[in-house]
Amino acid sequence: MPGTTSTAPGAPRAQAAATPHPRRWLVLAVIAISQLMVVLDATIVNIALPEAQADLGISDADRQWVVTAYTLTFGGLLLLGGRIADYWGRKRTFLVGMVGFALASAIGGLATTGGMLFAARALQGAFGALLAPAALALLTVLFTEPKERAKAFAVYGAIAGGGSAVGLVLGGVLTQYIDWRWCLLVNIPIAVVALFAAIPLVPESRAHGDTRYDIPGAVVVTAGLVSLVYGFTRAAEDGWDATATIGFIVAGVVLLAAFVVIELRSSHPLLPLRILLDRNRGGAYLASTLIGAGLFGAFLFLTFYFQQTLGYTPVEAGLASLPITAGVLISAGAASQLLPRVGAKPLMVAGAALAAVAMLSLTQIDVDSSFVAHLLPAQVVLGLGLGFTFVPLSSLALVGVPEHDAGAASATLNATQQIGGSLGTALLNTFFTSAVTAYLAGRIPDPTTVAQATIHGYSVAFAWGAALILVAGLTTMLLIKVRKEDLATGAVHMG
């Protein structure tokens, strides 16, 4: 899945240090290791999921929790994690986040039931929400000279982008030659190395001022999102008109509405709503949510299609997924050059169109589709679309943001992608399950029919993914009005 780089939630403003920290480049290496661990975890687990599902007896309707339990807690708690890092101490938060992430990985790697694995993934997300903003805030504090800071964030961004590719291959190797559990357990040695290096090297820093936290807001928004996702999951098993399905979806909507009320009344809101009310930023966040919703589920289904339908080994499935990353790297570089010349809107619309075309192409897969003729070009085009979309989004999220809101604004962009991915994965998995059940109704469930039903389910999921991405493109066309001149003067783009 695509990596996202953004400035830290509540990132400290450039506090000009008289003398730069002498070991700042060593600290960057430590932070890079921690970032690699978090990024690896997303793609490694995707490749391991088919074997984990079989090993732990997880149902098709519930398997999406391996993804969504992580993205929900990470996205829901990210802004709170940024404030905790600023006021509790960035080094302390970084260390606690790393230790917690490693322990949660150990629990997941030793899981004996699906529920235990889901809980471990949720814990990983919660500690990741401490680790990621603390790491970014440390970079912002340590690298105050603009050129050095640009280099530091470039290293961080390269790991965010390239780490996902490493995760795909490493996940395949670990799953195929050792055990799927090592896709989680591998975080432990990485965390130990980073931890022992961080303790003597990383300096402590914290912000001053109002140190109150919006705990009610964080709890309510996360509970609302979990309720929505659980409602979608119930729909896969009981139908959309079931009492449980409707009840959890309604509860989720009510809790999210309550979150808005809490934010309006709070003197120290988790998400200042003024950030969302700007037309361009609001449009960027909505597009980001929709794109995340359309894509995360697609990555999940591609993994299962490669391994369960085409019979690829985990290593082959990891390698087969790399064209998306290649496409992203190509178009992200091009988009960075084009953004000052053509502006954000044309790039985002073109990106959404490319990604939607690729997703529609994937609806035509069959039990024996050619990788070179069909799957390779579709994935490259999908990656190209992503790069053209995410680079402008990073700039749009910060256009015209007051300095004291910059951290929250960029963190919100990251959170919207995670939350969109959570909701989209659950929704597309429900559409997949329902489509398979409907296809098999009245048919004899022999191996050929089951295979065709599964392909039908994948096609339906990809079609809905394409629809969500097209709506994201439409949202961009209607709401984004920022000019290319505004990006040059109003955006604070790091990463």
Side-chain angles (χ1 to χ4, degrees), residues 62 77 141 149 182 203 253-254 278 282 313 318 348 365 407 433:
D62 284 340
L77 299 175
V141 169
R149 179 180 285 185
W182 275 97
V253 172
V254 169
D278 175 84
T313 65
M348 287 178 64
I365 58 174
T433 307

Side-chain angles (χ1 to χ4, degrees), residues 114-469:
M116 188 175 172
L117 179 58
F118 304 154
R121 291 287 287 160
L123 269 178
Q124 279 186 312
F127 284 109
L130 290 176
L131 181 61
L136 281 162
L138 283 167
L139 286 188
T140 309
V141 169
L142 289 169
F143 293 91
T144 53
E145 197 275 319
K147 287 185 179 178
E148 283 197 354
R149 179 180 285 185
K151 288 179 184 176
F153 275 93
V155 170
Y156 190 90
I159 289 170
S164 58
V166 175
L168 290 168
V169 178
L170 183 60
V173 170
L174 292 173
T175 302
Q176 186 169 331
Y177 295 111
I178 306 177
D179 190 272
W180 68 265
R181 296 175 182 278
W182 275 97
C183 292
L184 290 162
L185 296 174
V186 72
N187 291 328
I188 299 169
I190 296 175
V192 168
V193 170
L195 190 67
F196 278 101
I199 290 171
L201 287 175
V202 176
E204 183 58 283
S205 67
R206 55 172 54 86
H208 301 287
D210 184 359
T211 59
R212 289 175 294 171
Y213 305 119
D214 182 14
I215 303 293
V219 171
V220 169
V221 71
T222 305
L225 293 167
V226 169
S227 185
L228 268 185
V229 168
Y230 191 69
F232 295 156
T233 305
R234 298 308 306 171
E237 299 178 347
D238 304 332
W240 288 100
D241 56 352
T243 304
T245 303
I246 295 169
F248 279 105
I249 291 175
V250 169
V253 172
V254 169
L255 285 166
L256 292 177
F259 170 69
V260 173
V261 174
I262 290 169
E263 298 310 281
L264 286 171
R265 295 184 175 180
S266 175
S267 60
H268 47 285
L270 188 69
L271 174 59
L273 293 183
R274 61 182 176 271
I275 290 174
L276 300 179
L277 296 177
D278 175 84
R279 177 175 183 153
N280 292 300
R281 282 195 301 278
Y285 295 142
L286 181 55
S288 171
T289 304
L290 289 165
I291 289 167
L295 288 173
F296 277 52
F299 295 132
L300 175 73
F301 293 119
L302 270 175
T303 294
F304 278 91
Y305 175 65
F306 285 144
Q307 294 186 53
Q308 295 189 341
T309 302
L310 297 183
Y312 288 8
T313 65
V315 171
E316 289 170 340
L319 293 171
S321 303
L322 289 178
I324 296 177
T325 305
V328 168
L329 293 176
I330 293 167
S331 59
S336 298
Q337 299 298 316
L338 290 170
L339 187 60
R341 301 176 191 172
V342 303
K345 186 171 180 174
L347 289 176
M348 287 178 64
V349 172
L354 283 170
V357 166
M359 293 283 276
L360 288 171
S361 171
L362 290 172
T363 65
Q364 303 304 306
I365 58 174
D366 207 339
V367 291
D368 56 356
S369 293
S370 163
F371 179 79
V372 173
H374 187 178
L375 297 167
L376 174 63
Q379 289 187 91
V380 170
V381 172
L382 181 58
L384 292 172
L386 291 184
F388 281 127
T389 303
F390 285 130
V391 169
L393 272 176
S394 299
S395 292
L396 277 178
L398 290 167
V399 170
V401 179
E403 195 174 13
H404 59 274
D405 284 339
S410 54
T412 301
L413 177 66
N414 201 338
T416 56
Q417 289 171 2
Q418 300 294 330
I419 289 165
S422 307
L423 298 174
T425 299
L427 200 56
L428 295 189
N429 195 58
T430 294
F431 290 145
F432 164 82
T433 307
S434 302
V436 170
T437 302
Y439 188 94
L440 290 173
R443 291 183 168 92
I444 300 170
D446 56 63
T448 302
T449 306
V450 171
Q452 289 293 345
T454 304
I455 291 295
H456 174 65
Y458 292 149
S459 297
V460 168
F462 287 134
W464 277 101
L468 288 166
I469 292 169

Side-chain angles (χ1 to χ4, degrees), residues 36-75:
L36 182 62
M37 179 176 71
V38 175
V39 173
L40 282 177
D41 202 65
T43 47
I44 271 185
V45 169
N46 261 16
I47 295 297
L49 189 47
E51 290 206 10
Q53 180 184 359
D55 194 12
L56 300 179
I58 301 170
S59 70
D60 282 354
D62 284 340
R63 68 187 178 191
Q64 49 84 20
W65 283 108
V66 178
V67 177
T68 55
Y70 177 83
T71 52
L72 274 175
T73 51
F74 184 80

